[in-house]
């Protein structure tokens, strides 16, 4: 791949990872356009997660530090028997929200036949998921009062929100951040709270994907399309654009609803359906 192509894909990943518009759909389409397929496509997509993960950890560093310290508190809780601090409760919610998505993603990669995986990655599947889950986001965003904050988070809510990530692990175009924000909004959480919790529970998923990508690139040969140096470029660009994306999202949600993202998903999905024959001729 050329340096320009790498930067384009990394920029797409960085800007779209934390927005409720599906980063996998954008990166998938760009990779198909550039002719990047198979292992190399998956590695580039995975290693870019390292950059977007680092961006989220930096932006929400206070929450991350609180959750890490809270994790140590959880380990000591059976001995100390003290009430859990907010950091410990956050750490527990993240732990509860994570396992199902990781298990489903592992089963998907290990047991789903390649032809079915290819079918799920088709442009029509991506377009349909983009529209359908965009409509669900709109429904959840307008269906009533929203007063709940992180302090109101129950383990049951954390589990339900986290479990929806399994759908995004299987169907490109769903948007991991989008479907978790949808679930949080449907359960009554404020927009900014829904977005923040969505990003925090995404950390273990992105860490796992990023580790997979980094290990794969370290084994890449110079004969391959993607090298370790390529992966580091992608991670760096994804970090910068991801940081800007998070700041923009949080600012937008302080002022308006998710409607701009819903409309974008509708336009993108319709455009993909209408232009699919043209894409196939490129």
């Amino acid at each position: 791949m050329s340096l320009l192509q790498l930067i384009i894909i990394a920029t797409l990943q960085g800007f779209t990872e934390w927005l409720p518009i599906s980063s996998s759909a954008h990166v998938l389409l760009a990779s198909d356009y550039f002719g990047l397929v198979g292992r190399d496509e998956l590695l580039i997509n995975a290693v870019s997660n390292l950059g977007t993960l680092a961006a989220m950890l930096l932006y929400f560093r206070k929450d991350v530090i609180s959750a890490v310290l809270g994790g140590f508190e959880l380990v000591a809780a059976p001995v100390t028997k003290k009430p859990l601090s907010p950091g410990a409760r956050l750490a527990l919610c993240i732990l509860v929200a994570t396992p199902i998505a990781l298990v489903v993603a592992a089963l998907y990669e290990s047991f789903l036949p390649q032809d079915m995986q290819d079918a799920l990655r088709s442009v029509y599947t991506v377009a349909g998921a983009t529209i359908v889950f965009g409509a669900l986001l709109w429904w959840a965003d307008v269906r009533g009062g929203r007063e709940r904050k992180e302090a109101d988070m129950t383990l049951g809510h954390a589990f339900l929100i986290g479990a929806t990530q399994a759908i995004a692990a299987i169907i490109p175009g769903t948007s991991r951040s989008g479907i978790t924000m949808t679930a949080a909004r449907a359960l009554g959480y404020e927009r900014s709270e829904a977005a923040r919790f969505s990003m925090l529970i995404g950390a273990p998923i992105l860490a796992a994907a990023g580790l997979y990508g980094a290990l794969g690139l370290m084994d890449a040969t110079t004969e391959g399309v993607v090298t370790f140096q390529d992966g580091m470029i992608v991670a760096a660009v994804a970090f910068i654009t991801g940081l800007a994306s998070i700041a923009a999202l949080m600012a937008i949600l302080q002022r308006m609803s998710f409607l701009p993202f819903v409309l974008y998903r509708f336009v993108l999905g319709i455009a993909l359906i209408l232009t699919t024959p043209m894409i196939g001729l490129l």
Side-chain angles (χ1 to χ4, degrees):
M1 295 189 70
S2 70
L3 179 61
L4 177 60
Q5 290 173 338
L6 285 172
I7 291 175
I8 289 174
I9 290 179
T11 299
L12 282 173
Q13 173 70 26
F15 273 127
T16 60
E17 175 62 47
W18 301 116
L19 301 180
I21 56 176
S22 181
S23 62
S24 60
H26 288 77
V27 174
L28 169 63
L29 295 173
S31 299
D32 288 347
Y33 179 81
F34 292 137
L36 185 64
V37 297
R39 174 179 176 275
D40 290 310
E41 176 193 335
L42 295 175
L43 289 179
I44 282 294
N45 195 13
V47 78
S48 62
N49 289 325
L50 290 175
T52 50
L53 173 60
M56 188 278 291
L57 295 177
L58 177 61
Y59 189 89
F60 292 108
R61 55 192 176 277
K62 292 182 179 179
D63 293 306
V64 172
I65 292 173
S66 178
V68 171
L69 295 177
F72 290 109
E73 183 181 333
L74 288 177
V75 175
V79 177
T80 62
K81 297 182 179 180
K82 294 180 179 179
L84 295 181
S85 67
R89 291 185 67 258
L90 176 60
L92 186 57
C93 286
I94 293 173
L95 289 174
V96 168
T98 299
I100 285 188
L102 288 176
V103 170
V104 170
L107 292 175
Y108 170 84
E109 291 291 336
S110 301
F111 298 105
L112 195 69
Q114 188 60 50
D115 58 341
M116 293 186 65
Q117 292 188 29
D118 293 340
L120 288 172
R121 293 176 63 257
S122 72
V123 174
Y124 287 114
T125 301
V126 171
T130 298
I131 295 172
V132 170
F133 288 102
L136 286 176
L137 176 59
W138 172 80
W139 170 81
D141 197 38
V142 301
R143 60 177 294 271
R146 304 290 186 270
E147 301 296 334
R148 286 176 173 163
K149 297 182 179 295
E150 181 193 303
D152 303 311
M153 180 73 66
T154 66
L155 294 183
H157 285 178
F159 175 82
L160 290 174
I161 295 170
T164 61
Q165 296 179 108
I167 301 174
I170 297 174
I171 307 176
T174 300
S175 174
R176 189 209 60 80
S177 59
I179 197 167
T180 50
M181 291 178 199
T182 298
R185 290 293 287 153
L187 290 171
Y189 291 88
E190 292 182 350
R191 293 185 178 101
S192 58
E193 292 286 276
R196 185 167 66 91
F197 187 67
S198 168
M199 286 184 261
L200 289 171
I201 65 173
I205 304 295
L206 290 187
L211 178 62
Y212 163 79
L215 292 176
L217 287 173
M218 289 179 69
D219 292 335
T221 65
T222 55
E223 297 177 357
V225 176
V226 181
T227 66
F228 181 78
Q229 290 77 12
D230 294 335
M232 294 306 96
I233 293 173
V234 168
V237 174
F239 168 77
I240 296 172
T241 54
L243 196 59
S245 175
I246 295 172
L249 174 63
M250 299 307 289
I252 290 172
L253 295 182
Q254 291 292 335
R255 295 171 173 80
M256 62 183 71
S257 71
F258 282 97
L259 183 59
F261 303 106
V262 172
L263 295 177
Y264 176 82
R265 292 182 69 121
F266 289 166
V267 171
L268 176 62
I270 293 171
L272 288 174
I273 293 173
L274 295 178
T275 60
T276 296
M278 295 173 54
I279 293 176
L281 295 175
L282 293 176

